[in-house]
Amino acid sequence: MEPNKIEDILEKYFQGETSIAEENQLKEYFSSPNVAQHLEQYKPMFGYFSQAKEQKSTYEIPLLPKSRDKKRNVAWLSIAASAVVLLGIGTYFFVSEQKDTTAVASQTELGTYQDPEEALKATQKALALLSNNVNVGIESVQYIKEYEQSKNKVFKQ
Amino acid sequence: MNQVVFIELINPFKDKVFRLAKRLLTSTEEAEDATQEVMVKLWNKKDNLESYNSIEALAMTMTKNYCLDQLKSKRASNLQIVHNNFTDREPQLDKKLEDENSLEWVEKIINELPEQMQLLIQLRDVEQYEFEEIAKIVNMNETAIRVALSRARKKIRESMTNTHLYGTK
């Protein structure tokens, strides 16, 4: 290819007006061994562009779906965990409530007597217990009476 | 869409994504991370990928945005360690090595351009996308792209002539 034509393309190139095909012509020309002396300075530039395109990523893209699976596993795990927690709370309340109802039942049902005589005995016993306790209370009030008497002796009205 | 179909879908442009990320970011490792990130994002979108005209353009746009975000978040806090800090500047023995060295110079010059220009050079001169496709990826109109590209190319030429003539003047 004659240098004149290359110079024209080169001029266009620096104006940013070349097409891909023309740029390829330039690359080809500058990679050939017979580059005109005065154009020698552009050689490394186009050489670099061709070389730069050869660079490749050596890195393997990591197996992508695996990370996806992991994410899904975490989701399932959290669902399972929350189910277990809910079940635990549920059974706790259920069991404790059952206990409560039995306790209340045993408190309210005090039992009953079928035989009237036995019932009378039990009632008398209960009443005796009550009156005994009341008498204990009255005995302690006797001291107050004593105090009243001595007060009246001292302070004669 | 299963994994095999997806891999087949991304294979044609996987390396382009990597090269774009490498152009914009500082190290190969970062570029690998960016590639992986973009692919994972694509995979997560897999159910509505059909609604996009060009998945490749979508991937390139995502890469561009991801890299620019990375740069923005790092620039404030980190000291940049650019890999060409470590190149040894000893004169090369061989003509072939000298050639390689001049290619390295080009790389260095491109790395010093503003990000926008790097992006356009990468998309046009390296990956050889049509202007129409570039317009979709970078969200600019074609005239603006041509102008910016022209500027970028002239800048490279300018720096190249400076290094080329270094020592002769």
Side-chain angles (χ1 to χ4, degrees):
Chain A
M1 203 179 295
E2 62 269 42
N4 276 347
K5 203 181 165 198
I6 290 296
E7 271 170 45
D8 284 350
I9 302 178
L10 209 53
E11 186 52 37
K12 267 174 85 186
Y13 172 78
F14 282 108
Q15 296 304 322
E17 281 158 7
T18 39
S19 66
I20 295 284
E22 285 170 321
E23 282 165 24
N24 278 334
Q25 275 184 347
L26 287 178
K27 277 189 189 175
E28 218 170 278
Y29 174 75
F30 284 107
S31 63
S32 68
N34 42 359
V35 178
Q37 189 67 41
H38 65 289
L39 294 176
E40 189 83 22
Q41 53 164 318
Y42 299 114
K43 219 177 153 175
M45 192 170 162
F46 290 97
Y48 174 75
F49 292 148
S50 309
Q51 188 216 40
K53 210 184 172 178
E54 297 304 308
Q55 283 187 331
K56 286 209 160 63
S57 158
T58 51
Y59 211 62
E60 270 300 306
I61 308 272
L63 292 173
L64 299 162
K66 248 189 186 164
S67 64
R68 213 71 240 268
D69 280 352
K70 225 179 219 174
K71 243 184 213 171
R72 199 177 293 157
N73 274 345
V74 170
W76 278 114
L77 205 69
S78 55
I79 289 171
S82 51
V84 167
V85 168
L86 278 179
L87 210 70
I89 293 173
T91 42
Y92 172 74
F93 276 110
F94 184 68
V95 167
S96 57
E97 207 163 281
Q98 252 187 350
K99 232 185 237 170
D100 276 353
T101 50
T102 50
V104 168
S106 62
Q107 266 176 6
T108 49
E109 276 179 42
L110 294 172
T112 183
Y113 291 103
Q114 298 299 323
D115 190 7
E117 256 178 56
E118 231 178 293
L120 179 71
K121 253 187 211 164
T123 313
Q124 276 175 341
K125 200 177 159 192
L127 288 176
L129 190 70
L130 179 73
S131 63
N132 268 344
N133 282 325
V134 168
N135 283 340
V136 169
I138 286 172
E139 263 168 37
S140 54
V141 173
Q142 293 296 325
Y143 293 111
I144 297 176
K145 219 177 195 176
E146 199 77 15
Y147 172 74
E148 187 91 8
Q149 277 175 0
S150 34
K151 190 202 85 180
N152 283 344
K153 271 181 200 165
V154 177
F155 302 101
K156 286 193 177 143
Q157 288 157 330
Chain B
M1 185 184 294
N2 68 25
Q3 202 189 343
V4 180
V5 178
F6 181 74
I7 297 279
E8 245 164 56
L9 183 80
I10 62 167
N11 258 343
F13 58 84
K14 193 181 104 188
D15 291 326
K16 291 186 186 177
V17 165
F18 170 70
R19 289 191 291 255
L20 178 64
K22 188 155 181 225
R23 168 73 52 228
L24 293 173
L25 300 173
T26 44
S27 69
T28 310
E29 287 74 25
E30 269 184 287
E32 302 278 20
D33 284 350
T35 313
Q36 194 185 332
E37 191 71 23
V38 168
M39 292 313 163
V40 170
K41 276 184 189 165
L42 268 186
W43 172 254
N44 291 337
K45 277 183 182 227
K46 68 184 159 69
D47 295 325
N48 47 8
L49 275 185
E50 275 81 28
S51 62
Y52 294 94
N53 288 331
S54 159
I55 295 168
E56 182 171 339
L58 172 73
M60 293 306 266
T61 311
M62 282 163 69
T63 313
K64 181 204 78 177
N65 291 338
Y66 178 82
C67 293
L68 294 183
D69 282 352
Q70 283 299 99
L71 289 176
K72 215 183 275 172
S73 67
K74 283 204 178 135
R75 187 153 297 161
S77 54
N78 283 1
L79 182 72
Q80 272 194 340
I81 301 174
V82 184
H83 52 85
N84 53 26
N85 283 354
F86 310 125
T87 52
D88 106 44
R89 307 249 164 81
E90 299 279 306
Q92 306 292 327
L93 297 170
D94 202 324
K95 173 75 177 134
K96 199 186 160 206
L97 287 179
E98 201 176 79
D99 279 350
E100 244 167 51
N101 199 22
S102 59
L103 295 189
E104 263 171 38
W105 269 110
V106 180
E107 179 164 34
K108 209 181 158 197
I109 289 165
I110 295 176
N111 282 341
E112 277 162 13
L113 293 174
E115 278 139 28
Q116 185 74 1
M117 289 187 177
Q118 287 188 37
L119 188 66
L120 293 176
I121 289 282
Q122 177 71 19
L123 291 176
R124 179 65 181 190
D125 284 331
V126 179
E127 306 297 354
Q128 300 190 304
Y129 280 106
E130 291 290 348
F131 282 114
E132 200 188 324
E133 293 169 303
I134 298 177
K136 267 189 223 152
I137 294 170
V138 299
N139 200 16
M140 284 164 71
N141 71 43
E142 290 182 30
T143 332
I145 292 171
R146 277 176 201 275
V147 171
L149 198 57
S150 159
R151 255 182 229 150
R153 286 165 174 174
K154 281 176 183 165
K155 263 199 168 169
I156 298 172
R157 175 172 65 178
E158 206 177 295
S159 314
M160 284 303 295
T161 5
N162 285 347
T163 49
H164 192 74
L165 299 177
Y166 186 79
T168 60
K169 268 186 183 172

